[in-house]
Amino acid sequence: MSYNVLVVDDSASMRKVIKKTLRISGFSVGDCLEAGNGREALDVLETQWVDLILSDIHMPVLDGFGLLRALREKSEWRDLPVVLITTESNEDRLQEAMSLGARGYIRKPFRPEVIRSYLQRILGDTDEDRITINDEECDF
Amino acid sequence: MKIESQSMMKNVISEVLETMFFIMINFDGLNSSHRAYDFESRIDLCNESEKLQIGLCVREHFAKMVAANFVGKRDEEVENEEMEDVMKELANMVGGNYMSKIASKNWQLGIPSFGRFEGGDDSQSTTSVSLFYMGENVGMLIVRPYVVT
């Protein structure tokens, strides 16, 4: 099965790197869409089918928290898996993101090889507890 | 205290550059004049009473190489806008990584900026480490503390 992925980050370069990383990691990607902030992400969702959102937190216009809140408000988006890819390390803020519905987070910098297995865990087991990642925790 | 800070700064910048940019730098060599740096990326860390400004000062060819490695291009293919975007993202990652290693909590990360290097960072409270690549001084990582009034 291929997943349509929406990458949300205000850095065009980071979006490019995440997209490339997804493909070379072997993760089964169908369409890989982009948005520069949460507002643009919602616009994409209005017209495109998305299976997974990878989003930064700190973005202008509508940040990661705002995006999570907006997704919760619409029934067709409420169960859409969102994984944050972020430099945020404040545990309170990360827990806030999880309570808003994020399925997990990946801290930057990240090694490309951890992406595939981590995302497969996220998408393959809806009953699993929320997952965080740093390199020490990831099994290969 | 300063040696501890420098050690942490070295760990932070090494981890970011090696993991996401595939660049291994070291910290031993002859320093260039500060005027040899061309650009600086900055990002602030703040809490209720303190602010730290992290500055990454680099030579242009190193900034181009960083950007090229990040997006998967040749150095000469990197456009200025792309270089700026990557250098801001680098500051973002260095700031976030540094923040994760500070013992005290409640720090918030600001928005990164990028511009021409202006120099003038010789205050005693500033901590810096010089960055060397292939024997050349290609940049400097600076942490500038401020008191929030």
Side-chain angles (χ1 to χ4, degrees):
Chain A
M1 178 188 171
S2 294
Y3 297 96
N4 285 358
V5 181
L6 174 57
V7 178
V8 190
D9 197 301
D10 58 329
S11 165
S13 304
M14 180 53 78
R15 295 197 302 269
K16 189 171 178 175
V17 167
I18 292 172
K19 287 172 69 171
K20 188 172 75 170
T21 300
L22 284 174
R23 296 200 187 277
I24 65 176
S25 73
F27 184 74
S28 185
V29 179
D31 286 337
C32 202
L33 308 166
E34 292 185 41
N37 56 63
R39 176 58 53 199
E40 288 182 14
L42 295 173
D43 291 342
V44 170
L45 290 172
E46 291 285 357
T47 58
Q48 306 285 330
W49 180 266
V50 170
D51 299 300
L52 168 68
I53 298 176
L54 302 178
S55 178
D56 194 5
I57 290 180
H58 302 290
M59 297 179 289
V61 184
L62 187 69
D63 67 8
F65 290 101
L67 174 60
L68 287 166
R69 289 190 190 96
L71 292 174
R72 268 160 57 130
E73 286 172 9
K74 237 177 162 176
S75 56
E76 58 264 45
W77 296 340
R78 198 167 291 145
D79 295 326
L80 199 49
V82 179
V83 173
L84 302 172
I85 300 185
T86 179
T87 53
E88 181 65 71
S89 61
N90 184 307
E91 284 298 330
D92 291 340
R93 286 179 62 78
L94 289 168
Q95 287 308 310
E96 183 184 348
M98 303 296 255
S99 70
L100 287 172
R103 298 285 295 277
Y105 57 87
I106 298 170
R107 286 206 187 105
K108 301 174 189 175
F110 57 86
R111 294 210 305 264
E113 59 265 28
V114 309
I115 293 287
R116 176 186 172 180
S117 58
Y118 180 68
L119 292 180
Q120 285 178 331
R121 285 161 63 194
I122 290 281
L123 293 170
D125 186 349
T126 55
D127 294 330
E128 192 169 346
D129 287 341
R130 271 46 186 287
I131 299 163
T132 66
I133 185 170
N134 54 51
D135 291 343
E136 292 79 23
E137 291 172 357
C138 199
D139 296 325
F140 289 97
Chain B
M1 180 70 124
K2 208 150 190 168
I3 293 173
E4 276 179 32
S5 294
Q6 286 177 324
S7 177
M8 191 162 82
M9 288 162 69
K10 289 176 184 178
N11 287 339
V12 163
I13 188 71
S14 293
E15 189 175 327
V16 173
L17 284 176
E18 287 173 27
T19 305
M20 298 288 304
F21 298 85
F22 314 109
I23 294 171
M24 293 191 64
I25 51 164
N26 56 55
F27 306 99
D28 300 313
L30 287 173
N31 285 327
S32 305
S33 157
H34 286 189
R35 278 176 288 216
Y37 303 134
D38 300 301
F39 299 114
E40 182 174 358
S41 301
R42 292 184 179 188
I43 193 163
D44 291 344
L45 278 61
C46 300
N47 63 22
E48 299 85 8
S49 56
E50 299 171 82
K51 184 174 101 170
L52 296 174
Q53 185 178 78
I54 294 177
L56 187 57
C57 316
V58 294
R59 301 187 65 181
E60 181 169 359
H61 69 86
F62 185 69
K64 291 260 178 173
M65 186 182 84
V66 164
N69 277 25
F70 193 58
V71 300
K73 285 183 173 180
R74 292 199 302 265
D75 295 12
E76 58 269 23
E77 293 174 329
V78 171
E79 296 174 14
N80 287 340
E81 202 176 278
E82 205 163 25
M83 180 185 71
E84 176 173 339
D85 183 40
V86 172
M87 286 303 299
K88 284 159 75 173
E89 187 61 33
L90 175 57
N92 190 28
M93 284 192 264
V94 169
N97 204 10
Y98 190 88
M99 189 169 78
S100 72
K101 291 171 172 32
I102 301 175
S104 56
K105 308 285 184 189
N106 298 322
W107 290 95
Q108 291 210 17
L109 202 55
I111 306 291
S113 62
F114 177 82
R116 281 276 162 195
F117 176 66
E118 292 169 1
D121 275 302
D122 294 328
S123 68
Q124 285 191 337
S125 57
T126 295
T127 306
S128 65
V129 293
S130 295
L131 313 177
F132 293 86
Y133 182 74
M134 307 289 279
E136 180 191 1
N137 181 196
V138 293
M140 181 172 59
L141 179 62
I142 302 176
V143 176
R144 306 174 182 102
Y146 297 91
V147 175
V148 176
T149 53

